[in-house]
Amino acid sequence: MAILTVENIEKSYRIKKDKKRTKLMAVHNVSFEIKKGSCVGLVGESGCGKSTLGRIINGLEKADAGKILIDGVDIHEKSRKELSCRVQMVFQDSYDAVNPRYTASQIVEEPLKNLTKLNKTEREEKIRKHLSEVGISESEWNKYGMEFSGGQLQRVCIARALAAEPDLIVLDEPLSSLDVSVQAQILNLLHDIQKEKELTYLLVSHDLEAVYYLADVIIVMYGGQIMEKIDSMDYFNRMQHPYTRMLLASVPGYEDAGGERENNRTIYKDMGTQLEGFMGCPYCGRCRFATERCWNERPVLQEVEKGHYIACHKETSHAD
Ligand code: ADP
Ligand code: MG
């Protein structure tokens, strides 16, 4: 059963480029589902539309077209409060995400005040429970947000998300601003609480390796579009989109994927592949396999084997 259904989401922003008004296609025709209790990893480098999609799912931003369904119901039929009870977010920069004048307890109490009818004593009990769950010891419950290290404050933010008792947590680059040693601890924590509470995650990251550890499904995005999707981690070794291969080459143990790695000397220029009017593949400006067709025709996501989808003319031309 899908807890979240993302259907043909489109989002563009009006921008100015070279003094001309144009539109930047931040998310193009993105569709996928998340099954209850699973983790979908959404991977791609900065600017590919991950956060925009996360904000749309969380109702913080409105799509130009398409639908977001939670348990089959359009999120726009739900009130802000109803949606917050189902979907919570954890952001990259925890210092930005909290009120620095709040203590850890007050940070976790916020959703309890806003979303539940619990009285003070009941709230305190929940605060203790959730802070303990994320490994914040009692001596730190009254520390202020800004007094915590990045990793500890991210734990508090996770506790705040848990306090709403949501079904789905959108984790938007939850590890990116943390030291490498701390990243592993937070990743372990996310793993443990997911299993314990049967939570559903959308894990947004530019780091394929981090996603590999938690995800059941991987979606690779580039330039607002899904480039590759695997519905089972059994296909991880067979991911083959030129862009995915390039990302894979930076994962230890997968350096061999570097056979198709980007030529480092290729100076990538923004070739406007995300701007209004461009009809080709968003990745074509960087792809060493790009042909005329790639510049002119946007590849659509096609199933190349059961549960494995690719949007690439090179990989799917035999199936045309
Ligand atoms: P990611 O999270 O993958 O780094 P974003 O979703 O933040 O990517 O952004 C996708 C694209 O949309 C980027 O090119 C970004 O510059 C652009 N963008 C995001 N928000 C806005 C906005 N409010 N106005 C104009 N452009 C935006
Ligand atoms: Mg982002």
Side-chain angles (χ1 to χ4, degrees), residues 11-15 24-27 44-55 61 172-173 204 221 224 274:
K11 178 75 188 175
S12 62
Y13 294 108
R14 284 175 205 287
I15 57 160
L24 180 122
M25 294 180 283
V27 177
E45 61 204 62
S46 177
C48 74
K50 305 181 300 293
S51 295
T52 303
L53 198 55
R55 288 195 301 271
E61 209 163 338
D172 190 354
E173 303 256 12
V204 174
M221 271 179 84
Q274 249 179 297

Side-chain angles (χ1 to χ4, degrees), residues 227-228 239-248 257 260-262 283 286-290 310-315:
M227 290 289 155
E228 186 159 16
M239 292 187 87
Q240 65 198 56
H241 191 286
Y243 177 59
T244 315
R245 305 297 297 175
M246 198 273 288
L247 289 179
L248 263 178
E260 303 194 357
R261 195 176 194 157
E262 247 182 342
Y283 189 56
R286 290 172 71 176
C287 182
R288 46 187 274 186
F289 303 105
I310 299 183
C312 175
H313 294 310
K314 172 177 172 279
E315 299 299 336

Side-chain angles (χ1 to χ4, degrees), residues 41-45 48 208 218-222 225-230 239 241 243-245 247 301:
L42 184 64
V43 193
E45 61 204 62
C48 74
L208 193 53
I218 292 186
I219 295 173
V220 177
M221 271 179 84
Y222 187 85
Q225 184 178 341
I226 295 180
M227 290 289 155
E228 186 159 16
K229 176 170 178 278
I230 50 169
M239 292 187 87
H241 191 286
Y243 177 59
T244 315
R245 305 297 297 175
L247 289 179
L301 205 59

